[in-house]
Amino acid sequence: MIRTRTTFIIGAGAASELAMPANDELLLKIGQSLEFSRLGTPTQSRDTAMLAHYFTALATARGQDQAAAFKAAERLRLAVRLARSFDAVLDQHDADPLVVACGKLTLIHFLCQAEAKSILRLTPRVSGDLPIQGTESWLYQFGQLVTNGVPLSRVDSCLDAVSVISFCYDRSVEHFMPHALMMAFGMPFDEAQQLVSERLRIVHPYGTLGRLPWQSGTGPALEWGVEVPGDMQALVPGIRTGAQTLADTGLVAAMQAVVADSQRLVMLGFGYHPLNLEMLAAQPLPAAAEVLATTYGLNDSAVAAVRRILGRRFGERDGDGLVLANVRANDLMRDYALLLES
């Protein structure tokens, strides 16, 4: 059970541990698939054909022709060659609504594939089991932390000290947690879904693929792992650019309030992009607040830079107040489990 007010901040590195594409892989896929000059040739890919169809339909719905759609595709294809993230590509083209909309469609296309091909299935292979392959994932560790030692009579309170800010578009936390609650407490699945829908505080600054069918809300619903949604264009408004998120002052203020109220931040697979950190905090955290963060794959110079960046944004931490662990998200959650439950 998590006893200290804790906010988990999820980045693309954590999503890649669930077998979803990391930034570099996603940029490469997008760049290759938007090479529309290959249409009608033996080198045409399925992704290219599908994206060309989506782009043409989108342009037509906006009163523009196929040539405009293909021009937008070429603009995106060139931009990803110099980009560190596709979010940045969308922000760089905020003056061209068609390019941004086509970019969001591209994201939706590959994110739907990512959910479908991840280690997180729609349903467990065995009834009552978890829909995830193995136990070596941060999601499994998260489920353990939330449920461990909680009496069934207090199950409604197991998420009280937990908040999640996910900079990923996928719905992995939302999809996984009802299964974890059902396994841990033997509660009916629909009751577990209702508890998660009502009690899990989770924010996606950049939006999502849509709400899961059992989640409350008014936006379009999309089941986990649907590789080809029936109405792609309906999902476009659910994706936000960085500029759109910053312009939503209510959303940013709510995120910053959650972070400011936290006694502990756990940053998993986070990229420490200045824009994303700006969304999280407008002023330093209280001196007693702890920060645990993964720096997996970063060299010593990069880790030193992360330490300085976090110090500037959250305030300097003394002693163990800032833990930078050069491990994967799963390893941090496992190795620091006793601390995270304290």
Side-chain angles (χ1 to χ4, degrees):
M1 178 180 182
I2 296 176
R3 296 165 174 83
T4 298
R5 291 192 305 278
T6 303
T7 298
F8 293 86
I9 300 171
I10 312 299
S16 70
E17 293 185 32
L18 304 177
M20 297 188 188
N23 272 332
D24 290 347
E25 182 184 354
L26 180 62
L27 289 171
L28 179 61
K29 282 186 173 183
I30 290 173
Q32 292 174 339
S33 299
L34 292 180
E35 199 164 348
F36 285 2
S37 60
R38 297 189 177 191
L39 286 168
T41 74
T43 59
Q44 168 190 301
S45 70
R46 176 174 178 267
D47 290 326
T48 299
M50 293 179 72
L51 288 172
H53 171 73
Y54 295 149
F55 282 22
T56 301
L58 178 66
T60 300
R62 292 170 173 244
Q64 296 177 267
D65 59 14
Q66 187 183 70
F70 282 26
K71 183 179 178 181
E74 182 64 7
R75 181 82 291 279
L76 291 167
R77 186 186 73 82
L78 292 173
V80 297
R81 295 172 61 182
L82 194 62
R84 291 183 179 177
S85 74
F86 199 64
D87 306 324
V89 171
L90 295 182
D91 275 326
Q92 289 161 205
H93 294 84
D94 63 345
D96 192 327
L98 181 60
V99 172
V100 172
C102 287
K104 290 180 177 182
L105 266 182
T106 305
L107 263 181
I108 292 166
H109 173 74
F110 285 110
L111 290 167
C112 287
Q113 287 185 9
E115 283 194 352
K117 296 175 181 178
S118 73
I119 63 173
L120 194 58
R121 306 183 191 91
L122 173 60
T123 56
R125 288 178 176 172
V126 179
S127 178
D129 206 341
L130 296 174
I132 199 166
Q133 299 175 21
T135 61
E136 292 298 309
S137 73
W138 61 269
L139 262 183
Y140 180 87
Q141 305 294 337
F142 181 73
Q144 275 193 330
L145 287 171
V146 167
T147 60
N148 188 46
V150 179
L152 180 59
S153 60
R154 294 183 55 201
V155 66
D156 287 352
S157 66
C158 68
L159 292 166
D160 284 357
V162 178
S163 299
V164 178
I165 299 176
S166 176
F167 284 87
C168 306
Y169 302 92
D170 66 82
R171 295 85 46 87
S172 55
V173 176
E174 298 95 312
H175 177 58
F176 175 77
M177 282 309 298
H179 293 278
L181 295 177
M182 182 177 68
M183 171 177 273
F185 300 108
M187 60 195 306
F189 189 54
D190 59 345
E191 291 184 15
Q193 288 178 323
Q194 183 177 355
L195 192 153
V196 171
S197 181
E198 294 177 352
R199 305 302 289 268
L200 176 64
R201 291 181 297 275
I202 183 165
V203 178
H204 291 267
Y206 288 96
T208 71
L209 288 173
R211 61 184 177 86
L212 295 166
W214 50 268
Q215 288 182 292
S216 58
T218 57
L222 180 69
E223 186 58 272
W224 176 268
V226 174
E227 190 167 347
V228 183
D231 187 356
M232 292 281 287
Q233 291 189 42
L235 302 176
V236 169
I239 303 295
R240 290 189 288 266
T241 66
Q244 288 171 333
T245 300
L246 284 178
D248 188 341
T249 54
L251 174 62
V252 173
M255 283 192 291
Q256 292 178 348
V258 168
V259 171
D261 188 52
S262 300
Q263 296 168 289
R264 182 176 293 139
L265 297 183
V266 182
M267 309 181 81
L268 304 174
F270 193 65
Y272 309 104
H273 190 284
L275 177 63
N276 294 342
L277 286 168
E278 182 181 345
M279 296 178 190
L280 293 174
Q283 58 189 13
L285 301 177
E290 299 173 334
V291 179
L292 289 81
T294 60
T295 56
Y296 182 74
L298 300 183
N299 60 32
D300 291 345
S301 297
V303 171
V306 168
R307 185 178 298 276
R308 293 184 64 182
I309 290 168
L310 294 183
R312 291 172 180 171
R313 179 58 58 177
F314 297 140
E316 297 295 336
R317 309 282 107 186
D318 294 330
D320 295 330
L322 173 60
V323 175
L324 298 182
N326 189 13
V327 297
R328 295 180 183 273
N330 169 66
D331 300 327
L332 184 142
M333 296 283 278
R334 181 195 61 217
D335 296 345
Y336 289 87
L338 289 176
L339 175 62
L340 295 176
E341 282 197 56
S342 67

